[in-house]
Amino acid sequence: LYTVPGGYALYMKDECGNHTTIREDAPHETARTPQQETQKKQLGKLGTTAYSALKIDIDLPDNFFIPASVLSKLRQKAVESLDRIRRIAYRTEKRQEEDKTVCYPQTELSYLGNVSNRLAEQFYREHGVTRIDPAFEIKPSKGVPLMFTRHCIRHMLGICKKTPAGSKFPDPLTLLYKGQKFQLHFDCKACEMTLYKKDFL
């Protein structure tokens, strides 16, 4: 905040270097009591904006009294101006071209690759995958897990296999959902639950 002929000006700068200056007419009146902390507090009221004040400099040649309404107008206009400048200056990152020389880590994909359309298959083949099985919903496979999850029903029910209570419930467990039966297998070492559709076992 600094003085200009016939008023005051507020310079505001963001972390990206965008900046703006706003002025407001007001008389230069010397105050009877210190004003700097009150002025900083008024200028720092940015709670409903996208900004927070990291540093506020009061660069006045004297202890001037500036009405709160003047400081509020300066702050509001500066925020609006900086918003406009930021929108104009913003540049979206351009998507880089795909590098088709990069090879996929695997040359074969099972149904777990979830390749369910032509474009997905084309992508993998362009990157060195030679055998691709269709996704499960395209071609169901028998005897394969439908889901791997860290969420463990045993742990949730308090019958983890690592506890004495868990030994009373040997694997596999069966889950009934909407008339369908699913078998649950548990790999406690990996802390993983695997779900199979019972019809396929």
Side-chain angles (χ1 to χ4, degrees):
L1 177 71
Y2 60 95
T3 57
V4 292
Y8 299 91
L10 181 64
Y11 170 82
M12 185 180 286
K13 180 180 179 181
D14 70 7
E15 74 280 5
C16 299
N18 301 304
H19 56 89
T20 187
T21 301
I22 298 295
R23 65 157 291 155
E24 190 74 23
D25 292 337
H28 296 166
E29 298 178 355
T30 302
R32 296 179 181 178
T33 58
Q35 298 290 304
Q36 192 171 98
E37 290 306 313
T38 301
Q39 292 163 355
K40 284 186 177 183
K41 185 177 180 180
Q42 183 66 33
L43 293 175
K45 292 181 178 180
L46 299 166
T48 59
T49 72
Y51 311 101
S52 60
L54 300 181
K55 184 181 180 184
I56 300 176
D57 292 323
I58 306 297
D59 187 17
L60 304 178
D62 199 353
N63 181 39
F64 289 138
F65 169 75
I66 308 174
S69 59
V70 173
L71 294 172
S72 179
K73 283 183 181 180
L74 284 168
R75 185 191 68 242
Q76 291 173 6
K77 290 182 178 179
V79 166
E80 292 171 359
S81 176
L82 193 57
D83 279 343
R84 287 194 298 269
I85 291 168
R86 284 165 60 93
R87 284 194 294 269
I88 293 170
Y90 180 74
R91 295 290 181 269
T92 57
E93 294 184 8
K94 291 185 178 180
R95 179 179 177 180
Q96 296 182 355
E97 291 187 11
E98 179 186 344
D99 185 355
K100 295 185 179 180
T101 63
V102 176
C103 291
Y104 193 72
Q106 303 167 6
T107 58
E108 298 183 355
L109 284 178
S110 69
Y111 74 101
L112 294 173
N114 201 33
V115 179
S116 59
N117 60 62
R118 178 183 55 80
L119 293 177
E121 181 178 351
Q122 178 183 329
F123 170 82
Y124 285 114
R125 293 201 184 281
E126 288 175 347
H127 291 275
V129 180
T130 55
R131 187 181 71 80
I132 301 175
D133 291 340
F136 186 88
E137 60 265 29
I138 303 299
K139 184 181 178 182
S141 302
K142 290 188 176 182
V144 298
L146 300 179
M147 182 174 68
F148 303 88
T149 175
R150 288 282 192 177
H151 174 75
C152 179
I153 287 181
R154 278 185 171 273
H155 179 75
M156 184 181 69
L157 296 176
I159 54 172
C160 174
K161 291 169 70 175
K162 297 178 181 179
T163 66
S167 61
K168 299 178 183 178
F169 299 88
D171 280 347
L173 299 183
T174 301
L175 178 68
L176 183 63
Y177 178 71
K178 291 186 178 181
Q180 297 189 69
K181 290 183 178 180
F182 300 91
Q183 276 195 1
L184 306 177
H185 294 258
F186 302 87
D187 183 349
C188 291
K189 188 174 182 180
C191 199
E192 184 176 77
M193 183 178 76
T194 308
L195 183 147
Y196 294 80
K197 191 171 183 181
K198 201 164 184 179
D199 297 349
F200 289 156
L201 294 174

